[in-house]
Amino acid sequence: MNEQEQIIHTEYSELMQKSYIDYAMSVIVSRALPDVRDGLKPVQRRTLYDMYELGIRYDKPYRKCARIVGDTMGKYHPHGDSSIYGALVVLAQDFKMGQPLVDGHGNFGSIEGDGAAAMRYTEARLHKLTQEAYLADLDKDVVDFVPNFDETEKEPEVLPVKVPNLLLNGAEGIAVGMTTSIPPHNFGEVMDGVIAYMKNPDINTMQMMKYIPGPDFPTGGIIANQDELAAIYSTGVGKIKIRGKVELEKGKNGKDRLVITEIPYTMIGANIGKFLNDVYGLVESKKTNDIVDITNQSSKEGIRIVLELRKGADVENLKNLLYKKTKLEDTFGVNMLAVADGRPETMGIVPMIRHHVNFQYELATRKYQTLLAKELDKKEIQEGLIEACNVIDLIIEILRGSKNVKDAKACLTQGMTDGIKFKSEQSKKDAAKLHFTERQASAILEMRLYRLIGLEIEALMKEHEETLKNIAD
C-alpha cells in the first residue's frame, strides 16, 4: 500500500447520519425556509436582487422573464430554471401574494389553476414598493455581501427590507423533516402592529391582536375559528378554518340564488373545479335537491360562482351542507417557521415583529455609520483644499521646484524640503511647516486650476458648511 492511500474505517450508519444531517441543514437554511429578517427564501431574494442589478426598475420597460431567469441562474442560483421561474411567477400573482413584489406582463396564470406562459413569452419588472422598501440602500453597506456559488460575484446575505414581509406575504416551504406555512396579513394592520411594538416592546399576543386581528388572504374568505387565533399567534402552530363568502340573491318568482364571491385560500387552482364537481356530486347522489343549476361566472373582476336554487329551498341547511361536504370550508395549517440567526425556529407573531424591528435598528445603524464615514472623508478633503487655497502661491512654488510627485507629496504631508528648489529662504521655512494628510495631499495634487476662481472657492466653503451640517445630523 503506497503512502498516499489512507483507508478510514467508519460505521456506515454514522457516515449516512452525518451526510444526511448536512444535506438536511443545507435544504433548510439555503433552499426551503425564509429568513425571518426579510421574509424571503434564497431563490426569491436572488431573483429580486438580480432584477435590481439588471436595472429592471418600476419606471423602466419590462424585460423578458427568460433574461431574468438566465441571469439569476448563471450568477446566483444554480438550481435549474424551473424553480427560478416558478418563484418569479408567484411573486407576480396577486391572488397568491398579499403584496405582489414583481409587476408581470403577459400570462402569469390564473386563480383557477392555469399555469403561466413559458418564460420566453412573459415579461416582468419590479414594483415600486419592492424597489423602495426591499432593495433601497444596498449601496450603503447596510447588509453583508457573500460570495456566490462559484465566487465570481457577490450577493446580499439578506435584503434590507423595511416592512415585515414574512407576515405581509406569508410563506410556504417544504424542507427536510419540517415545513413552514405562514398566512399573509394586511399591510396596514401589520404596520400598526410594528408601531405598537416599538412603543411598547413588552406587548403580548392579545394586545398585538388589537392591531393584527388575523390573517388577510388575497382571496378573501371568513375565518370560522377566530377564538383559536390567539393560541396560534402565540405558539406559531395551529389550524385556521376558512370559509368562502356566500351571499343570497333574491331572484324572480321566488327562485333565489346562492352566490360565492370569496373562496378559501386553499381553493386556489384545481380545487375550484373540484368544488364544482363536488356540488354536482351532491345533486347526483340526492344529498340535496335544492340546487337546480350551477355556473362559474368568475372573471378578472373576481370570483362569482352562482348556485340556482329551487323554490322554497332551505338556504341555511344548504350552506351548512356545502361547508361540511365540499372545499367551501377548508383548513389552513399554520406553522410559523423561519430561519433566525442561522437556525430554524418556530415563533409567534410578537417574536416575528421583534426580529423585524431589531433588524430595522441594525439597518439604520449601518446606514448612518456609512453615511457619516463618507461625510467625514469629504470634510477632510474640503478642509485640505480650503487651506491650500490660502497658501496656493507656496504650493505652486513647491510643485515647480520638485523633481517628482513623491518629493512634492513628502513636502505637503511632512514638511520635507530636501531636493526642492525655492525662490527664497522664507518660502522654505513656510514649506517646512506644512502638514496636510495623505488624502488631502492627493486631492491638492489633483486639484484643477479653475477651483481658484473666487466663486469656486465660495462654493467650496458652502459645500464644507453643508458637510458639517450633515455630520451633525
Side-chain angles (χ1 to χ4, degrees):
M1 193 169 105
N2 59 15
E3 294 290 308
Q4 280 80 31
E5 270 187 49
Q6 269 190 320
I7 295 174
I8 298 168
H9 289 279
T10 177
E11 188 59 46
Y12 185 66
S13 59
E14 275 174 31
L15 185 74
M16 282 296 290
Q17 191 176 357
K18 185 184 172 302
S19 304
Y20 197 74
I21 287 172
D22 290 348
Y23 159 70
M25 280 313 290
S26 146
V27 171
I28 288 163
V29 177
S30 55
R31 292 285 291 269
L33 300 189
D35 191 295
V36 72
R37 293 168 294 177
D38 62 2
L40 297 168
K41 294 189 207 174
V43 63
Q44 296 170 322
R45 183 180 307 123
R46 287 163 172 168
T47 307
L48 292 175
Y49 177 64
D50 187 74
M51 289 174 78
Y52 180 76
E53 282 293 285
L54 286 174
I56 313 174
R57 313 290 161 92
Y58 72 93
D59 50 358
K60 296 274 193 309
Y62 292 95
R63 294 279 285 281
K64 281 273 182 239
C65 290
R67 171 71 210 269
I68 298 164
V69 171
D71 207 63
T72 307
M73 185 164 58
K75 285 185 188 165
Y76 312 113
H77 197 74
H79 297 296
D81 54 3
S82 55
S83 62
I84 301 170
Y85 187 49
L88 181 63
V89 166
V90 171
L91 287 172
Q93 290 177 330
D94 56 1
F95 52 88
K96 279 256 182 84
M97 304 286 281
Q99 190 66 54
L101 303 181
V102 170
D103 177 7
H105 189 224
N107 172 15
F108 275 81
S110 76
I111 195 165
E112 295 188 12
D114 304 314
M119 59 185 162
R120 59 182 179 273
Y121 302 121
T122 53
E123 300 179 330
R125 64 182 176 195
L126 291 170
H127 263 304
K128 188 173 183 185
L129 169 89
T130 317
Q131 202 171 307
E132 292 178 357
Y134 286 66
L135 294 155
D137 300 333
L138 274 170
D139 54 343
K140 298 187 180 71
D141 188 38
V142 286
V143 291
D144 291 336
F145 277 74
V146 293
N148 69 339
F149 63 92
D150 62 359
E151 301 196 358
T152 53
E153 303 269 344
K154 290 264 190 234
E155 59 172 313
E157 188 181 37
V158 60
L159 290 185
V161 178
K162 297 190 173 88
V163 292
N165 181 54
L166 198 54
L167 286 171
L168 284 183
N169 276 324
E172 278 176 33
I174 300 170
V176 177
M178 54 183 74
T179 61
T180 183
S181 177
I182 304 170
H185 292 76
N186 180 286
F187 200 119
E189 289 171 359
V190 171
M191 295 319 289
D192 290 344
V194 171
I195 294 164
Y197 173 84
M198 288 168 85
K199 288 180 178 166
N200 171 23
D202 299 324
I203 193 167
N204 63 30
T205 306
M206 289 309 289
Q207 291 166 322
M208 183 58 82
M209 285 180 70
K210 288 184 186 135
Y211 304 97
I212 308 175
D216 182 10
F217 294 101
T219 53
I222 297 152
I223 291 174
N225 59 339
Q226 289 189 355
D227 48 339
E228 291 173 36
L229 279 177
I232 293 172
Y233 274 161
S234 61
T235 60
V237 180
K239 283 185 175 163
I240 295 174
K241 274 189 187 163
I242 328 167
R243 286 179 171 175
K245 190 174 177 189
V246 184
E247 292 167 352
L248 185 67
E249 283 185 7
K250 292 285 179 194
K252 293 174 195 157
N253 57 31
K255 277 191 176 176
D256 298 338
R257 285 195 209 115
L258 273 189
V259 180
I260 298 162
T261 52
E262 293 177 10
I263 58 172
Y265 189 57
T266 48
M267 208 200 263
I268 293 176
N271 282 337
I272 294 181
K274 187 174 184 315
F275 168 72
L276 298 175
N277 284 335
D278 288 347
V279 176
Y280 286 132
L282 290 176
V283 177
E284 298 254 303
S285 62
K286 302 276 195 290
K287 293 257 169 60
T288 176
N289 50 10
D290 286 344
I291 301 171
V292 181
D293 191 20
I294 175 167
T295 49
N296 185 0
Q297 302 174 3
S298 307
S299 64
K300 278 185 180 168
E301 275 62 63
I303 291 286
R304 184 179 162 86
I305 298 169
V306 181
L307 307 180
E308 298 277 353
L309 304 184
R310 69 172 175 79
K311 234 179 186 176
D314 183 346
V315 176
E316 281 310 308
N317 195 18
L318 181 61
K319 271 193 200 173
N320 288 333
L321 182 73
L322 290 174
Y323 288 143
K324 209 169 181 177
K325 298 283 184 192
T326 71
K327 288 269 184 192
L328 194 59
E329 177 180 295
D330 208 359
T331 53
F332 180 91
V334 176
N335 190 17
M336 292 160 85
L337 183 74
V339 175
D341 305 320
R343 37 186 292 239
E345 193 181 318
T346 304
M347 57 192 98
I349 192 168
V350 178
M352 268 188 187
I353 289 178
R354 180 181 306 122
H355 275 291
H356 166 73
V357 172
N358 291 345
F359 183 50
Q360 295 312 302
Y361 278 118
E362 190 191 317
L363 289 179
T365 308
R366 286 182 66 161
K367 176 179 172 178
Y368 291 111
Q369 279 172 345
T370 305
L371 290 176
L372 179 64
K374 273 187 188 163
E375 293 296 333
L376 288 170
D377 289 349
K378 255 199 224 164
K379 171 177 175 262
E380 180 186 330
I381 286 171
Q382 286 164 350
E383 285 174 351
L385 292 178
I386 290 167
E387 182 59 33
C389 289
N390 296 337
V391 292
I392 195 67
D393 296 335
L394 175 62
I395 285 173
I396 290 170
E397 204 173 316
I398 293 167
L399 296 181
R400 291 184 74 170
S402 301
K403 288 192 184 80
N404 53 37
V405 174
K406 197 174 156 202
D407 288 355
K409 215 170 194 181
C411 182
L412 292 174
T413 53
Q414 294 152 16
M416 289 167 72
T417 53
D418 305 345
I420 298 176
K421 288 181 189 153
F422 289 96
K423 290 178 183 169
S424 66
E425 271 305 308
Q426 187 55 44
S427 297
K428 194 169 183 174
K429 277 182 188 166
D430 291 342
K433 292 178 191 162
L434 294 176
H435 54 84
F436 288 105
T437 66
E438 193 69 33
R439 295 168 66 181
Q440 285 173 337
S442 297
I444 291 165
L445 292 173
E446 285 164 14
M447 186 170 80
R448 300 204 173 162
L449 287 173
Y450 77 84
R451 296 302 292 263
L452 300 172
I453 301 168
L455 286 173
E456 281 293 323
I457 293 173
E458 265 179 49
L460 184 63
M461 295 289 215
K462 245 198 179 122
E463 225 176 275
H464 184 237
E465 278 168 30
E466 189 69 26
T467 304
L468 291 176
K469 203 173 127 219
N470 288 344
I471 289 171
D473 284 347

